[in-house]
Amino acid sequence: MMDLSTTSVIAAKAYKYKAESLVKDYLLADSYVSYTAVLGGILMCKMVHDITHLISSLYYKGYGSLTKIQKLEWNNRGMSTVHAIFITLMSVYLVFFSNLFSDELDGPVTVRSSNLSNFTLGVSLGYFIADLAMLFWAYPSLGGMEYVLHHMLSIISLVYAIYSEEGQLYTYMVLISETTTPGINLRWFLDTVGMKRSKAYLVNGVTMFVAWLVARIILFIYLFYHIYFHYDQINHMRTFSCILIFAVPTVLLAMNTMWFAKILRGLKKTLAKRQ
């Protein structure tokens, strides 16, 4: 009995050591942390998608009466809401509160990165890959070509920012725009459950208007302002990095302005009906 117990303890310690070595030497190693993050982002999407389905089935009676596509979009929006909260918090912290991209440090801000910044971008990349796969699988029920274009630009930018470690500051500035996603999703949820005339729908509409103006219009203007005053640093980056830094925010700002006009028209219509 003692020999069997001793053998079991030794075997358990050996497995624990191997597991710790796997995590330390591979999953969390500098060269593998991005791959781990991407995989984690994809797994997070699957987990949140399933949890949204479970909670909605238990606590919302109308969930069962939704169509198959509506249920898919419902769960998908739960997934995108969790990602938006995560990436907004991390982006705001890295851009405005950490010293990673501070001008007070020596060296150009355009080539700075860290394990935390790479990990965060990897998780976000995993989300966009998973969500793009969902878009293609249910196309066009979950979104048209504008959503596909948005996700493709995001994936290209994230992949390049991770593996070149250039321009991560501007990538995070753009990702802050995800702060509007929870409001967009809440608007869809309220509409789907028949609460379009509720006070919550109106308050959410006003909040979404303000958030969109700040995060997708004003912040993008500040991004170009920052690019202008750091052009000497950007000029020393790789050619493809420069193309992404100028092209992606320009395309997204054009799309954001177009969607902002729709939000403004919708808010005016809602307020007119209220009056």
Side-chain angles (χ1 to χ4, degrees):
M1 292 289 291
M2 290 295 292
D3 292 340
L4 181 60
S5 177
T6 302
T7 303
S8 299
V9 170
I10 293 173
K13 288 183 177 180
Y15 283 122
K16 180 182 178 182
Y17 175 77
K18 290 180 180 179
E20 290 176 348
S21 297
L22 174 65
V23 172
K24 181 180 178 181
D25 298 335
Y26 293 96
L27 296 182
L28 296 181
D30 291 352
S31 56
Y32 293 100
V33 68
S34 299
Y35 299 102
T36 303
V38 173
L39 179 60
I42 295 173
L43 292 177
M44 178 203 72
C45 289
K46 171 61 176 172
M47 182 179 68
V48 174
H49 192 277
D50 292 343
I51 291 175
T52 303
H53 170 74
L54 178 62
I55 293 177
S56 300
S57 300
L58 292 174
Y59 295 102
Y60 175 52
K61 296 180 180 179
Y63 182 79
S65 62
L66 298 177
T67 65
K68 184 178 179 180
I69 291 297
Q70 283 179 321
K71 288 180 180 178
L72 179 65
E73 185 166 1
W74 182 287
N75 301 334
N76 207 57
R77 287 182 180 273
M79 182 179 79
S80 66
T81 298
V82 171
H83 165 262
I85 294 171
F86 165 78
I87 199 61
T88 297
L89 292 175
M90 293 304 299
S91 298
V92 169
Y93 166 74
L94 288 168
V95 172
F96 297 110
F97 294 99
S98 76
N99 63 353
L100 179 61
F101 302 114
S102 173
D103 285 327
E104 297 177 0
L105 299 180
D106 294 332
V109 298
T110 53
V111 292
R112 294 184 195 166
S113 64
S114 66
N115 275 347
L116 179 60
S117 68
N118 286 330
F119 181 84
T120 303
L121 292 178
V123 172
S124 189
L125 175 59
Y127 159 75
F128 279 110
I129 290 173
D131 202 42
L132 182 62
M134 295 289 288
L135 284 173
F136 281 130
W137 185 62
Y139 189 83
S141 300
L142 298 180
M145 281 306 301
E146 67 273 16
Y147 288 94
V148 174
L149 175 61
H150 174 273
H151 280 42
M152 289 296 296
L153 288 174
S154 299
I155 289 172
I156 292 170
S157 300
L158 288 169
V159 169
Y160 195 78
I162 292 171
Y163 295 110
S164 72
E165 297 189 336
E166 289 187 341
Q168 288 195 5
L169 170 61
Y170 301 114
T171 303
Y172 276 113
M173 283 186 180
V174 171
L175 285 171
I176 292 176
S177 64
E178 287 294 309
T179 191
T180 60
T181 299
I184 296 170
N185 290 339
L186 180 58
R187 180 179 182 274
W188 183 89
F189 286 129
L190 292 172
D191 191 9
T192 302
V193 301
M195 295 180 62
K196 196 170 183 177
R197 296 183 177 276
S198 66
K199 185 177 181 180
Y201 188 89
L202 177 61
V203 172
N204 179 70
V206 174
T207 304
M208 191 170 68
F209 170 81
V210 175
W212 197 285
L213 177 63
V214 173
R216 289 185 180 261
I217 304 296
I218 296 176
L219 183 61
F220 274 69
I221 295 172
Y222 172 74
L223 185 152
F224 286 112
Y225 168 85
H226 193 282
I227 289 174
Y228 175 78
F229 281 97
H230 293 80
Y231 184 76
D232 56 329
Q233 297 180 16
I234 294 171
N235 202 34
H236 289 87
M237 296 171 64
R238 296 181 181 93
T239 302
F240 192 65
S241 297
C242 294
I243 293 173
L244 287 178
I245 285 176
F246 285 101
V248 173
T250 300
V251 173
L252 291 179
L253 179 58
M255 295 172 68
N256 291 340
T257 304
M258 177 186 69
W259 286 328
F260 182 69
K262 291 183 179 180
I263 292 172
L264 181 59
R265 287 196 299 269
L267 182 60
K268 285 182 177 179
K269 189 180 296 184
T270 301
L271 291 173
K273 288 181 180 179
R274 289 279 176 172
Q275 292 176 351

